[in-house]
Amino acid sequence: QVPPGCCVSAHGRRSSDSSDSILSHDSVMSLARSISTLAFVVSAVVHLGLVQSAGGLLDSCNAFGFVGVSAEECHAITTSVQRTGGQAEKDMLALAFAAMRGECCQFLGMGVGSVYALLFLRKGTDEVAVVHLMHATWACTVQVVNSQNAGLLPFLPAAVDEYDPVSGAKLKPFLLLVGCQAVLYVAAFLLSRGNGRVAKSKDA
């Protein structure tokens, strides 16, 4: 014969385990939402505020202030190349400036996407995971490239004619800025993916 209270105790344990599981899941979801929201805020501030404030979208020469080259110095270099350089030098300069403005356009798109996600999508869920994935891919790739160009990857040295040691050293501050973003964006992606069905069922 089953002693009185045995089933009640078992039922109580099952209820407690279920409550702990729900509590644990809610904690994970709360963390995912917080990290996801923070990632979008950082993206918007960096890509729409910090980058666009330089004015490189309108004039590439405005963007080189990040490495200590003023817009006036940049225009003087450009004028010199246009007057005395060969066609190869002019073409190379045109491509470098086009790439700089194109990068500003890319950042504009990333920042606008972050603002949209902040306002209209469920943070910390599958709805935003792909946005975090794009941001994480960008940040991780840039981190490797900047580390290479700064001379910090001896097993993967940059082309010797692309960066001298002084120029490479000026890239090091970008490693901290982009590296922090890379960690944040990867964490936001990993925490957000797979949460779509659960969030929808809760909203229903």
Side-chain angles (χ1 to χ4, degrees):
Q1 183 177 0
V2 179
C6 178
C7 294
V8 175
S9 299
H11 176 71
R13 285 195 298 271
R14 286 196 296 269
S15 299
S16 176
D17 292 342
S18 177
S19 298
D20 291 343
S21 176
I22 294 174
L23 181 61
S24 176
H25 172 74
D26 288 344
S27 299
V28 171
M29 284 297 300
S30 178
L31 177 63
R33 281 192 295 269
S34 298
I35 297 298
S36 178
T37 300
L38 178 61
F40 286 132
V41 170
V42 169
S43 172
V45 170
V46 171
H47 299 141
L48 295 181
L50 179 62
V51 174
Q52 305 305 330
S53 65
L57 184 63
L58 302 176
D59 185 346
S60 296
C61 280
N62 292 332
F64 292 98
F66 287 114
V67 290
V69 179
S70 68
E72 292 74 18
E73 290 173 316
C74 176
H75 285 299
I77 294 171
T78 302
T79 301
S80 176
V81 172
Q82 294 295 344
R83 289 177 178 173
T84 63
Q87 191 58 49
E89 287 84 355
K90 295 177 183 179
D91 291 344
M92 183 174 175
L93 188 63
L95 180 60
F97 281 170
M100 176 63 73
R101 294 184 71 186
E103 187 176 67
C104 291
C105 294
Q106 173 193 340
F107 288 152
L108 180 63
M110 292 170 65
V112 169
S114 295
V115 172
Y116 181 88
L118 276 172
L119 296 177
F120 302 111
L121 302 181
R122 290 195 296 269
K123 275 70 70 180
T125 70
D126 277 337
E127 279 191 3
V128 298
V130 66
V131 185
H132 290 313
L133 177 60
M134 289 188 290
H135 289 171
T137 301
W138 164 80
C140 291
T141 304
V142 170
Q143 185 72 355
V144 172
V145 171
N146 283 346
S147 297
Q148 178 193 21
N149 293 336
L152 300 180
L153 301 179
F155 58 89
L156 189 64
V160 293
D161 57 346
E162 289 186 11
Y163 299 92
D164 65 25
V166 176
S167 298
K170 292 181 179 180
L171 297 174
K172 292 181 179 179
F174 291 94
L175 297 177
L176 178 61
L177 176 64
V178 178
C180 292
Q181 289 181 78
V183 173
L184 179 60
Y185 297 156
V186 169
F189 168 68
L190 294 177
L191 288 169
S192 297
R193 62 188 297 269
N195 289 336
R197 291 186 299 273
V198 176
K200 288 179 181 179
S201 64
K202 282 198 165 188
D203 289 343

